[in-house]
Amino acid sequence: MRFCKKLCAYLLTAALAVTTLAAGACAAEVPESLKPWLNSKTGKAMAQMAGEKAYIEMSVGGETVTTARSGGKSYTCIQLPDDGGKYVTIVRDGYTYEILSMPSLVLKSQNETAPLDVSLGEVKDVVEAEGVSYTITPARQKVGDKVYDAEILTLTQGEVSSAITYCFEGDTLRYVVTKDSEGAESITEYKKISTDVDESLFELPAGVPVYVQTAEGTLVDEAGNPVDMAAFYALFMQ
């Protein structure tokens, strides 16, 4: 549901904001309504993943997704199942680089994503303006053959509510379980969450041609020469 995604974004912003509070900041600076989220295992896990440096490996719907962030740069790799290749996106220096494996090439475009800069007070105001509330409830959740300590995040707007279950080993997030409107479960497995980031992830592969998308939507090579589009599309037919 759209409102659930929106509130999750607000709560993630809250988790990120609390990690950037100045040392010695008093508790009064944290809105009372956000304290349960910020003090929960789930809120702390989200704060770690939203921090300045983060490396995350997860499995979603049979696809392995790896994300990394460091020094304003970001990396996302989607490994398709059954040797279907991988799709990599790198954002750095104001540009987005889409790295394809079949065919082997890089698409470069201007990155227009604005940096996230929201205070805890602004998060509280937006949540209240949307008429959305949340609760965090301790629970136990079975995934596969194992039962995990869990927290259930319940999001409510009017008479509509939705729940997301976060499963932990100790304080480490392992699974996120959601259900659609028909009760079908979707499980995301978190294989690794770390603040150790390999900076080489943000480098472009050597020897791979780079095609640049201009503001007008056309393609040029790195030297600025127009690309023969027929030849470009033919690469995908090989």
Side-chain angles (χ1 to χ4, degrees):
M1 295 180 183
R2 183 178 301 175
F3 89 88
C4 292
K5 292 181 179 179
K6 186 179 294 186
L7 181 57
C8 282
Y10 296 153
L11 294 176
L12 178 58
T13 303
L16 173 59
V18 81
T19 64
T20 61
L21 288 175
C26 65
E29 293 180 353
V30 179
E32 197 67 31
S33 60
L34 295 180
K35 286 183 179 179
W37 165 255
L38 297 173
N39 292 328
S40 68
K41 286 185 178 181
T42 301
K44 291 174 182 177
M46 295 298 103
Q48 181 183 8
M49 291 191 286
E52 174 64 21
K53 295 190 71 171
Y55 176 88
I56 304 163
E57 291 181 9
M58 53 189 168
S59 178
V60 185
E63 297 178 350
T64 298
V65 180
T66 302
T67 66
R69 184 172 52 260
S70 176
K73 306 181 293 292
S74 69
Y75 166 93
T76 303
C77 175
I78 301 175
Q79 182 69 54
L80 302 176
D82 302 323
D83 295 324
K86 64 181 180 180
Y87 176 78
V88 175
T89 301
I90 295 173
V91 178
R92 69 177 199 189
D93 306 324
Y95 291 95
T96 297
Y97 299 87
E98 300 172 74
I99 304 171
L100 307 184
S101 57
M102 295 184 295
S104 183
L105 57 85
V106 176
L107 294 174
K108 177 182 177 181
S109 60
Q110 192 79 35
N111 179 48
E112 299 179 353
T113 303
L116 188 63
D117 184 14
V118 183
S119 70
L120 288 172
E122 289 172 319
V123 172
K124 178 183 77 69
D125 293 343
V126 172
V127 169
E128 292 177 353
E130 292 289 331
V132 179
S133 62
Y134 75 94
T135 59
I136 297 281
T137 307
R140 298 278 285 171
Q141 174 72 38
K142 186 175 183 179
V143 179
D145 296 326
K146 186 172 181 178
V147 177
Y148 294 85
D149 290 331
E151 291 181 338
I152 300 176
L153 171 63
T154 302
L155 313 172
T156 303
Q157 185 179 47
E159 297 181 355
V160 181
S161 65
S162 182
I164 306 171
T165 303
Y166 297 83
C167 305
F168 294 85
E169 283 184 337
D171 292 328
T172 302
L173 179 63
R174 290 303 184 201
Y175 295 94
V176 175
V177 182
T178 60
K179 292 184 179 181
D180 63 20
S181 58
E182 298 179 352
E185 280 190 348
S186 175
I187 299 176
T188 299
E189 177 186 3
Y190 284 84
K191 298 181 177 181
K192 183 176 182 180
I193 302 174
S194 174
T195 55
D196 294 327
V197 179
D198 182 354
E199 294 294 328
S200 68
L201 291 174
F202 308 108
E203 299 298 325
L204 299 180
V208 176
V210 177
Y211 297 88
V212 183
Q213 183 175 12
T214 67
E216 293 75 25
T218 60
L219 284 182
V220 297
D221 60 23
E222 287 189 283
N225 302 311
V227 171
D228 182 336
M229 295 307 297
F232 177 78
Y233 289 128
L235 295 173
F236 294 85
M237 306 302 293
Q238 297 176 359

